[in-house]
């Protein structure tokens, strides 16, 4: 082979070896909000990211179960979940690699695994969405509506997503008996169980239902569409509110550990939390940020969030509650 071809081949192989390999991210958070964050990471680090998104119908069990099925041949390096329960399950399965980097250190203890296997960031809040043409959005009116006929109230099926998280918190806070009593009472009095939070939002915005349980991001979608809606936080008997943070974790066996750690620190940074607070979903930062840099609506939510229920020890309640929910819905 001519010398020039040998040199060209050697140079090409050298460049190939130096070329960053794609970091594979399984992402449950809506692509509308997450994709721009991941592309910012690519631009700032030069590390290419390949993203696999979940489907709306099975959030977030779909990718969680996929990771369990792939335990011996995982294609994923970093898991970006939109809630903690599936991530806790992956820790219990021994599929996560602990990492306590700069991002982990800025997140409060209540929203991260104490061993460093996962950390929360950029939360939504569980809220009542209320049609203001049907009801006055006050605590007194809400309390009365929940005593009366619940056929005007909507809630997503609690087997999946953030409603499952909501039920898990109730299971731990009220106990198994307390949650089952509330569940049966709501069903007996005719609460509408629908496919997801977006469906709840649509029913309330249209006036088909007067109010419903959803998350702040769905409420803001309705508000930005100029729908006649208001919100009130869902409060536990103790007065605490329920936050649903995103979570991030590194999958054990990754071949791209330094890049995976960089992405985790990026997602847990003030920069990312501020970006998500300014998005249409108005997510609530968990770590310290410049409060005056937050949108006014998020500042108000952040003030409420100081009374949030701690989530770091929900693993046992999650498993028990999910077993019961499957017995109720999967027959």
């Amino acid at each position: 082979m001519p010398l020039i071809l040998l040199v060209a081949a050697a140079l090409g192989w050298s460049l190939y070896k130096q070329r960053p390999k794609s970091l594979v991210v399984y992402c449950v958070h809506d692509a509308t909000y997450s994709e721009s964050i991941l592309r910012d990471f690519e631009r700032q680090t030069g590390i290419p990211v390949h993203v696999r998104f979940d489907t709306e119908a099975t959030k977030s069990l779909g990718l969680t179960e996929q990771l369990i099925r792939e335990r011996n041949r995982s294609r994923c390096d970093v898991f970006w979940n939109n809630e903690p329960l599936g991530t806790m399950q992956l820790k219990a399965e021994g599929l996560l690699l602990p990492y306590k980097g700069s991002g982990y250190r800025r997140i409060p203890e209540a929203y991260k695994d104490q061993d460093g296997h996962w950390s929360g960031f950029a939360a939504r809040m569980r809220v009542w969405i209320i049609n203001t043409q049907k009801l006055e959005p006050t605590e007194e009116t809400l309390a009365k509506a929940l005593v009366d006929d619940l056929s005007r109230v909507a809630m997503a099926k609690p087997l999946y997503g953030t409603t499952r998280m909501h039920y898990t918190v109730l299971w731990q806070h009220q106990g198994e008996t307390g949650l089952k009593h509330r569940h049966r009472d709501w069903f007996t009095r005719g609460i509408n169980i629908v496919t997801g939070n977006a469906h709840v939002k649509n029913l309330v915005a249209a006036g088909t239902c007067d109010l419903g349980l959803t998350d702040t991001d769905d409420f803001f979608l309705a508000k930005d569409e100029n729908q006649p809606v208001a919100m009130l936080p869902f409060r536990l008997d103790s007065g605490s509110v329920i936050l649903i943070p995103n979570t991030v974790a590194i999958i054990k066996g990754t071949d791209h550990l330094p890049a995976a750690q960089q992405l985790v620190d990026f997602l847990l940074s003030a920069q990312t939390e501020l970006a998500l607070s300014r998005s249409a979903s108005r997510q609530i930062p968990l770590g310290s940020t410049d409060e005056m840099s937050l949108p006014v609506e998020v500042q108000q939510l952040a003030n409420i969030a100081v009374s949030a229920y701690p989530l770091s020890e929900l693993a046992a309640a999650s498993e028990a509650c999910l077993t019961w929910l499957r017995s109720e819905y999967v027959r």
Side-chain angles (χ1 to χ4, degrees):
M1 180 183 293
L3 180 60
I4 189 170
L5 293 180
L6 287 172
V7 171
L11 179 60
W13 176 246
S14 176
L15 291 174
Y16 173 79
K17 289 196 298 181
Q18 294 174 21
R19 184 179 64 186
K21 295 181 180 179
S22 292
L23 191 65
V24 177
V25 176
Y26 283 10
C27 185
V28 184
H29 194 45
D30 290 340
T32 304
Y33 310 124
S34 58
E35 190 154 25
S36 62
I37 299 293
L38 294 170
R39 299 312 164 208
D40 282 344
F41 173 78
E42 283 186 319
R43 284 190 291 271
Q44 293 181 34
T45 64
I47 299 170
V49 175
H50 175 76
V51 192
R52 176 175 179 176
F53 291 104
D54 209 345
T55 62
E56 181 65 31
T58 60
K59 291 179 177 293
S60 61
L61 282 179
L63 285 180
T64 299
E65 292 175 349
Q66 180 73 24
L67 285 164
I68 293 171
R69 289 194 297 271
E70 293 177 356
R71 64 165 63 244
N72 296 320
R73 50 181 179 83
S74 180
R75 305 177 182 91
C76 177
D77 299 302
V78 175
F79 184 40
W80 178 349
N81 201 355
N82 70 344
E83 51 83 25
L85 299 185
T87 315
M88 291 177 183
Q89 183 182 357
L90 294 178
K91 178 193 173 181
E93 295 279 348
L95 299 180
L96 303 183
L97 192 66
Y99 174 59
K100 296 184 178 182
S102 59
Y104 177 90
R105 293 191 291 271
R106 67 175 291 276
I107 300 298
E109 297 295 320
Y111 307 111
K112 63 187 180 185
D113 175 58
Q114 303 309 301
D115 299 321
H117 288 88
W118 60 267
S119 182
F121 66 104
R124 294 162 288 163
M125 186 181 294
R126 291 293 286 174
V127 296
W128 295 103
I129 182 172
I130 299 167
N131 186 300
T132 56
Q133 295 176 345
K134 302 289 185 177
L135 293 175
E136 185 181 1
T138 66
E139 295 288 351
E140 293 76 18
T141 302
L142 173 63
K144 184 177 186 303
L146 294 176
V147 169
D148 295 339
D149 179 12
L150 291 188
S151 65
R152 303 291 299 171
V153 181
M155 180 182 76
K157 181 186 291 188
L159 187 60
Y160 305 114
T162 56
T163 312
R164 177 193 162 203
M165 177 79 186
H166 190 133
Y167 261 51
T168 301
V169 170
L170 292 176
W171 182 288
Q172 186 179 68
H173 179 70
Q174 296 183 328
E176 176 182 350
T177 302
L179 172 60
K180 288 181 177 179
H181 174 77
R182 181 193 290 248
H183 177 80
R184 289 171 186 140
D185 175 61
W186 283 359
F187 272 71
T188 299
R189 294 194 289 123
I191 193 169
N192 293 281
I193 302 298
V194 300
T195 54
N197 291 323
H199 194 178
V200 172
K201 178 258 296 181
N202 291 338
L203 288 173
V204 175
T208 306
C209 289
D210 297 345
L211 72 157
L213 276 170
T214 190
D215 302 329
T216 43
D217 59 335
D218 285 297
F219 163 76
F220 283 119
L221 284 175
K223 182 183 178 186
D224 290 345
E225 294 168 354
N226 296 313
Q227 300 289 349
V229 294
M231 71 174 175
L232 290 171
F234 177 92
R235 292 190 182 274
L236 301 170
D237 296 340
S238 62
S240 296
V241 297
I242 301 175
L243 292 187
I244 315 284
N246 286 272
T247 55
V248 62
I250 298 173
I251 301 302
K252 185 179 288 186
T254 174
D255 292 328
H256 308 113
L257 182 57
Q261 291 173 336
Q262 279 186 263
L263 178 57
V264 168
D265 285 333
F266 184 82
L267 293 180
L268 300 180
S269 68
Q271 173 188 337
T272 295
E273 289 207 299
L274 284 171
L276 289 170
S277 78
R278 294 165 181 159
S279 72
S281 61
R282 275 81 140 195
Q283 290 176 272
I284 307 161
L286 298 181
S288 59
T289 56
D290 177 7
E291 184 175 336
M292 299 311 295
S293 298
L294 299 174
V296 172
E297 292 162 319
V298 179
Q299 291 181 34
Q300 294 167 347
L301 290 174
N303 288 334
I304 299 171
V306 297
S307 63
Y309 190 83
L311 306 178
S312 59
E313 302 298 330
L314 283 180
S318 172
E319 183 177 354
C321 185
L322 181 59
T323 298
W324 168 66
L325 285 170
R326 283 175 168 157
S327 72
E328 289 285 301
Y329 288 100
V330 183
R331 299 182 187 277

